[in-house]
């Protein structure tokens, strides 16, 4: 944090559709892909290594016995002064993160928030008592202002060099304020730059105390900062057309007028204003905590500022513009920092600041003001329409279901039932859990892969049981299809060209020659169209991907096969299975560089095979006496097959004798495994898989997540476990004839995905 590496990082869009629907691992993967977080931060967050340790916390406060945890989520959709922000929020109350993200989305559609900041000024107070002539003392202090400021600044020359330090001095007289008469109070107005500055200001007050006593003839008593940072005002505003406010049976005008009426209640009544402003701080406090700042100081300053005119009132203002738009404003004191020891003591703070991509404390203050305004908009909009309780219901039900001990398999069902009954209580959740427990239906159905029922052109996904990488060098490999497939449909198009749509991946492109695309599918598609003589046809190609990308499950090959079959069906082209496989193989060579041919073969034939590379390849169907139950564990770290194949190729070229020996060892394992499969000797098959994993590790194609999943699977009773596919990430397979659910749940419990299927 001493070196603000995130300052120059270009922030991608804070709009991430359906982020809440993803697993934690998927969310982290997206954040890494879009460069919100670094690779190191991704690994730390995924493994929980970003958390404050007990031994570190023992140096932060006294009498430490442990560390207390709170959830950290992201406020999305924020655009402030034209810049996108994802906003880290540490908070335990349901609905806050969802509410602020929803409001920010509405404001984003209207152009976003505008914000400003008056400056990072913190006030240091010096209390003087026993002053014989307060007015004369005040004049004497002001006459010697420059000397006092120079003395204070000499105590922190580095801060002055950065453009900070004492900027001005003020004197106040508090008449009859104590039993010892009038008080004279000196205010040092200190620019603390990007530091929180409490210790700095306190030391300045201490440092000038004796000089002030000499000037006034009084006694200096308290010397301390003030948390009423009213010289550090953050302001934000937004303008929302009424059309963006309509919904849930209410017109935009009704919502706008309801929001204004709710604000007017808070402006007029301190009882309502207290709850109104608490809602604002519901948004601000979690960000202050996430960034390692003093949320208690921010709270105190905000509420004091709300009462600055002698009556407690709203910190926001909502009104109707001349054209009917809704206008929102907020102003409150915010004094925060982004550097310094207190922030550096908590490792999560560095990640939060990196996520925010802010370059100064002033910028953080502006974001906080926007968050407060968004949270207020969400709360009073709910009050003005459906009521706050209904808006909270779903998220509250989730907390109750968790407290009642609902397991992941039935969690969503318990939440739905709670909302249906309108009894969102722990006792009711436990009652529902007990009802579900005695039902005969299978509670873990979502763990099992089910094939797609739609009968459209398909390319099969696959797992490799043994033989990865060695198969490229002539060794045998064993692979089997899984109930995950790529499917495609081709239809006529009224527009010129080839229009490719993959909705699940957010792909909707018209194929253009020479253009560089993010996905290799475009190059593959160009090759396929050329080989089939269809590049000049007008068409729409829709792909329905059920094989996860870059997970070692044959996604690219199955995608090619699905498209080839769909094109052949649409344009009445007769292709044999061998021709489909060969064309998909050409696509694989384009995608992966050096391809063995096993992926396209499985994608085409969809059978349990013993495979050996060749022209033509050797393909032997394996007869399995009974289905072989496995667990597929997904790391959500991409398995870059081309990269891994290239790495092995370079190593082989540098030491062919050694690597050929490893490939021969793997070949022998595969041939032995083929016999074990046909004899249904699963214990022996598991042993062979474990040995194969060791050899793959020796080839340096395994990885930390892979090894973690393999260990979890074996520790929970898997007979064998190994990576499947290219490696470097991706997926593992675990042989689990008796305890597949236990293994799958153990994998899911540490944040990965796991599925059960039968190979046959």
């Amino acid at each position: 944090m001493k070196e603000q590496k995130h300052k120059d990082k270009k922030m991608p869009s804070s709009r991430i559709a359906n982020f809440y629907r993803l697993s934690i691992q998927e969310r982290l993967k997206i954040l890494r892909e879009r460069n919100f977080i670094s690779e190191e931060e991704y690994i730390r967050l995924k493994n929980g290594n970003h958390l404050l340790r007990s031994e570190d916390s023992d140096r932060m406060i006294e009498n430490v016995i442990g560390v207390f945890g709170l959830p950290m989520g992201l406020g999305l959709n924020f655009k402030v002064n034209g810049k996108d922000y994802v906003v880290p929020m540490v908070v335990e109350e349901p609905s806050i993160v969802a509410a602020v993200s929803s409001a920010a989305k509405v404001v984003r559609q209207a152009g976003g928030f505008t914000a400003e900041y008056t400056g990072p000024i913190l006030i240091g107070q010096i209390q003087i008592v026993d002053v014989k002539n307060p007015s004369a003392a005040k004049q004497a202090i002001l006459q010697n202002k420059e000397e006092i400021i120079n003395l204070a600044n000499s105590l922190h020359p580095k801060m002055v060099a950065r453009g900070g330090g004492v900027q001005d001095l003020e004197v106040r007289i508090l008449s009859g304020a104590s039993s010892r008469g009038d008080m004279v109070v000196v205010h040092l107005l200190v620019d603390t730059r990007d530091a929180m500055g409490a210790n700095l200001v306190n030391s300045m007050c201490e440092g000038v105390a004796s000089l002030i006593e000499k000037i006034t003839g009084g006694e200096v008593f308290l010397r301390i900062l003030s948390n009423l940072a009213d010289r550090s005002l953050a302001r934000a505003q937004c303008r929302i057309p009424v059309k963006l406010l309509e919904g849930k049976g209410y017109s935009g005008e009704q919502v706008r007028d309801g929001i204004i009426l709710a604000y007017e209640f808070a402006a007029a009544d301190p009882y309502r204003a207290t709850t109104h402003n608490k809602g604002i701080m519901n948004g601000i406090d979690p960000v202050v905590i996430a960034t390692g700042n003093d949320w208690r100081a921010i709270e105190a300053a905000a509420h004091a500022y709300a009462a600055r005119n002698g009556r407690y009132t709203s910190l926001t203002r909502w009104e109707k513009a001349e054209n009917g738009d809704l206008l929102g404003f907020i102003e409150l004191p915010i004094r925060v920092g982004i550097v310094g020891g207190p922030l550096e003591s908590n490792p999560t703070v560095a990640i939060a600041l990196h996520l925010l991509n802010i370059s100064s404390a002033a910028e953080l203050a502006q974001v906080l003001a926007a968050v407060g305004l968004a949270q207020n908009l969400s709360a009073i909009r709910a009050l003005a329409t459906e009521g706050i309780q209904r808006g909270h219901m779903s998220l509250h039900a989730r907390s109750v279901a968790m407290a009642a001990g609902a397991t992941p398999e039935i969690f969503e069902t318990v939440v739905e039932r709670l909302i249906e009954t309108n009894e969102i209580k722990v006792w009711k959740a436990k009652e529902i859990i007990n009802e579900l427990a005695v039902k005969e239906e299978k509670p873990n159905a979502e763990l099992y892969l089910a094939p797609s029922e739609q009968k459209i052109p398909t390319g099969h996904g696959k797992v490799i049981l043994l033989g990865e990488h060695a198969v490229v060098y002539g060794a045998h490999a064993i692979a089997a299809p899984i109930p995950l497939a790529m499917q495609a449909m081709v239809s006529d198009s009224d527009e010129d060209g080839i229009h490719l749509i993959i909705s699940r991946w957010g792909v909707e492109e018209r194929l253009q020659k020479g253009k560089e695309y993010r996905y290799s599918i475009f190059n593959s598609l160009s090759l396929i169209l050329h080989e089939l003589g269809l590049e000049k046809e007008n068409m729409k190609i829709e792909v329905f991907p059920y094989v996860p990308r870059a997970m070692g499950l044959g996604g690219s090959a199955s995608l090619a096969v699905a498209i080839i079959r769909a094109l052949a069906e649409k344009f009445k082209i007769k292709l044999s299975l061998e021709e489909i496989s060969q064309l998909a193989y050409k696509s694989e060579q384009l995608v992966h560089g050096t391809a063995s041919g096993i992926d396209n073969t499985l994608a085409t034939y969809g059978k349990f095979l013993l495979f050996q590379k060749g022209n033509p390849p050797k393909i032997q169907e394996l007869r399995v006496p009974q289905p072989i139950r496995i667990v597929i564990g997904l790391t959500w770290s991409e398995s870059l097959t081309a990269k891994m194949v290239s790495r092995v190729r370079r190593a082989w070229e540098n030491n062919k004798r050694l690597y050929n020996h490893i490939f021969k060892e793997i070949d022998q394992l595969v041939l032995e495994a083929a016999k074990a499969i046909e004899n249904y000797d699963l214990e022996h098959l598991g042993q062979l898989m474990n040995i194969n994993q060791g050899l793959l590790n020796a080839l340096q194609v395994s990885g930390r997540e892979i090894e973690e999943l393999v260990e979890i699977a074996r520790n929970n009773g898997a007979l064998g476990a190994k990576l499947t596919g290219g490696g470097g990430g991706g997926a593992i397979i675990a042989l689990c004839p008796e305890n597949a659910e236990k293994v799958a749940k153990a994998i899911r419990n540490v944040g990965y995905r796991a599925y059960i299927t039968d190979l046959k």
Side-chain angles (χ1 to χ4, degrees), residues 416-526:
E416 290 171 5
R417 297 269 188 94
L418 282 171
I419 294 171
E420 287 173 5
T421 63
N422 206 27
E423 285 278 3
I424 309 199
K425 309 288 184 185
V426 173
W427 66 264
K428 186 64 178 179
K430 289 183 176 179
E431 185 179 286
I432 294 169
I433 291 169
N434 290 334
E435 289 174 4
L436 292 172
V438 299
K439 282 199 169 187
E440 293 181 359
E441 62 186 18
K442 196 169 192 175
N444 298 315
E446 82 288 351
L447 292 174
Y448 293 82
L449 287 179
S452 173
E453 296 179 3
Q454 198 171 5
K455 301 300 182 183
I456 60 176
T458 294
H460 302 279
K462 65 93 180 70
V463 291
I464 297 180
L465 270 73
L466 293 96
E468 294 91 342
H469 290 285
V471 70
V472 176
Y473 299 86
H476 290 81
I478 296 173
I482 56 175
L484 291 173
M486 294 290 191
Q487 298 185 309
M489 286 175 43
V490 178
S491 57
D492 294 326
S493 176
D494 296 330
E495 299 180 24
D496 291 339
I498 288 109
H499 190 194
L500 177 65
I501 300 172
I502 312 177
S503 298
R504 287 192 177 193
W505 295 353
V507 172
E508 187 167 349
E509 291 275 356
R510 196 165 299 282
L511 199 63
Q512 298 178 29
K513 287 186 177 180
K515 181 178 178 181
E516 289 189 10
Y517 292 96
R518 177 183 175 188
Y519 299 114
S520 58
I521 175 59
F522 291 97
N523 296 325
S524 173
L525 180 57
S526 294

Side-chain angles (χ1 to χ4, degrees), residues 22 57 84 121 128 145 253 270 314 351 396 441 655 722:
L22 305 175
S57 66
D84 275 74
I121 302 297
I128 314 163
K145 178 168 77 170
E253 289 79 6
S314 169
I351 297 176
H396 180 50
E441 62 186 18
N655 195 338
K722 60 179 286 293

Side-chain angles (χ1 to χ4, degrees), residues 296-486:
R296 299 162 300 277
I298 303 293
E299 278 273 352
H303 295 299
Y305 193 71
R308 64 191 180 281
N309 295 322
R311 182 176 59 83
Y312 189 86
T313 188
S314 169
L315 289 166
T316 57
R317 186 175 86 254
W318 296 93
E319 59 189 47
K320 178 181 174 181
E322 290 184 3
N323 69 345
D325 290 351
L326 176 67
L327 301 177
F329 307 87
I330 189 171
E331 178 183 271
L332 75 166
I334 295 179
R335 187 64 209 98
V336 288
I338 63 170
V339 296
L343 282 72
E344 293 178 16
S345 60
N346 191 326
T348 311
V349 170
I351 297 176
L353 290 172
H354 190 182
L355 278 164
L356 270 168
N357 188 32
I358 52 172
S359 59
S360 67
E363 187 180 356
L364 175 55
Q366 292 175 78
V367 172
L368 286 167
V371 170
L373 188 58
Q375 195 74 50
N376 185 232
L377 170 62
S378 180
I380 58 178
R381 182 185 185 183
L383 283 169
T385 54
E386 62 185 1
I388 200 75
Q389 192 57 40
R390 185 172 181 83
H392 275 270
M393 189 174 289
S394 176
L395 288 164
H396 180 50
R398 301 182 78 83
S399 293
V400 169
M402 184 179 295
T407 59
E409 306 83 51
I410 61 171
F411 185 83
E412 297 298 337
T413 304
V414 174
V415 170
E416 290 171 5
R417 297 269 188 94
L418 282 171
I419 294 171
E420 287 173 5
T421 63
N422 206 27
E423 285 278 3
I424 309 199
K425 309 288 184 185
V426 173
W427 66 264
K428 186 64 178 179
K430 289 183 176 179
E431 185 179 286
I432 294 169
I433 291 169
N434 290 334
E435 289 174 4
L436 292 172
V438 299
K439 282 199 169 187
E440 293 181 359
E441 62 186 18
K442 196 169 192 175
N444 298 315
E446 82 288 351
L447 292 174
Y448 293 82
L449 287 179
S452 173
E453 296 179 3
Q454 198 171 5
K455 301 300 182 183
I456 60 176
T458 294
H460 302 279
K462 65 93 180 70
V463 291
I464 297 180
L465 270 73
L466 293 96
E468 294 91 342
H469 290 285
V471 70
V472 176
Y473 299 86
H476 290 81
I478 296 173
I482 56 175
L484 291 173
M486 294 290 191

Side-chain angles (χ1 to χ4, degrees), residues 22 45 133 156 179 195 216 270 308 427 429 445 447 516 556 615 659 674 676:
L22 305 175
L45 284 165
N133 188 333
H156 292 280
S179 57
T216 63
R308 64 191 180 281
W427 66 264
L447 292 174
E516 289 189 10
S556 61
N615 189 17
Y659 274 75

Side-chain angles (χ1 to χ4, degrees), residues 157-193:
K158 290 184 178 180
M159 177 62 69
V160 176
R162 291 196 294 269
V166 180
Q167 304 297 301
D168 203 354
L169 176 150
E170 298 174 346
V171 185
R172 300 165 60 220
I173 297 175
L174 305 180
S175 301
S178 81
S179 57
R180 294 164 67 170
D182 296 346
M183 291 181 194
V184 178
V185 181
V186 176
H187 281 187
L188 299 181
L189 306 185
V190 186
D191 184 338
T192 60
R193 300 280 85 191

